[in-house]
């Protein structure tokens, strides 16, 4: 039940209560990983879902606090390798790029490699999002335009939370008819 409350508070952006509930939900072996993924997202985007309002402030990038970065690192480390290997690899690279500006070019290259691998196809929007953030941070405007164009071309494929279950169930209903 804590997980449900945590997802609810997360969706209405009551982050303090979401963190409390999801932290409790992490005690369940089945919900530990999904709770960690939401918590990682909360700590990465503590202000809003919006790309610009979260990372930009008066022509400067907002920085994620060292405390949040350490929490993110810990949450990534706790992800089960068997169940969440793809997410773990993506977030490890994101963490490295955010924690050390000198590693941005390397992080961008690795994320771009992931875009071409079939196993990461479901995560294209997440990967492109962070590539865009890193290009913004490194002030590479021309490459950023290409990334925004790629984001525009993506088709919506629900991945997280209830969307995945709902749409999979709906497609199964239609195929069985």
């Amino acid at each position: 039940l804590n997980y449900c409350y945590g997802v609810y508070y997360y969706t209405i952006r009551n982050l303090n209560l979401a963190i409390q509930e999801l932290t409790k939900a992490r005690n369940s072996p089945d919900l530990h990983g999904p709770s960690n993924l939401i918590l990682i997202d909360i700590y990465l985007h503590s202000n809003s879902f919006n790309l610009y309002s979260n990372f930009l402030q008066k022509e400067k990038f907002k920085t994620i606090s060292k405390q949040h970065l350490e929490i993110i690192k810990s949450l990534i480390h706790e992800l089960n390798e068997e169940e969440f290997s793809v997410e773990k690899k993506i977030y490890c690279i994101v963490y490295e790029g955010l924690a050390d500006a000198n590693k941005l070019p390397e992080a961008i290259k690795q994320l771009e490699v992931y875009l071409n691998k079939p196993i990461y196809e479901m995560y294209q929007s997440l990967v492109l999002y962070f590539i865009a953030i890193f290009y913004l941070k490194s002030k590479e405007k021309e490459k950023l335009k290409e990334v925004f164009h790629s984001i525009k071309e993506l088709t919506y494929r629900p991945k997280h939370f209830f969307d995945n279950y709902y749409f999979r169930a709906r497609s199964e209903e239609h195929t069985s008819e």
Side-chain angles (χ1 to χ4, degrees), residues 157-169:
R157 290 189 193 110
K159 167 61 182 137
H160 295 291
F161 314 116
F162 48 85
D163 284 352
N164 189 32
Y165 174 77
Y166 174 78
F167 286 107
R168 187 171 14 128

Side-chain angles (χ1 to χ4, degrees), residues 86 114-115 117-125 154 157:
V86 174
Y114 287 173
L115 281 177
K117 292 187 177 184
I119 194 168
Y120 294 95
E121 183 179 354
M122 187 176 271
Y123 302 93
Q124 283 182 333
S125 60
L154 286 177
R157 290 189 193 110

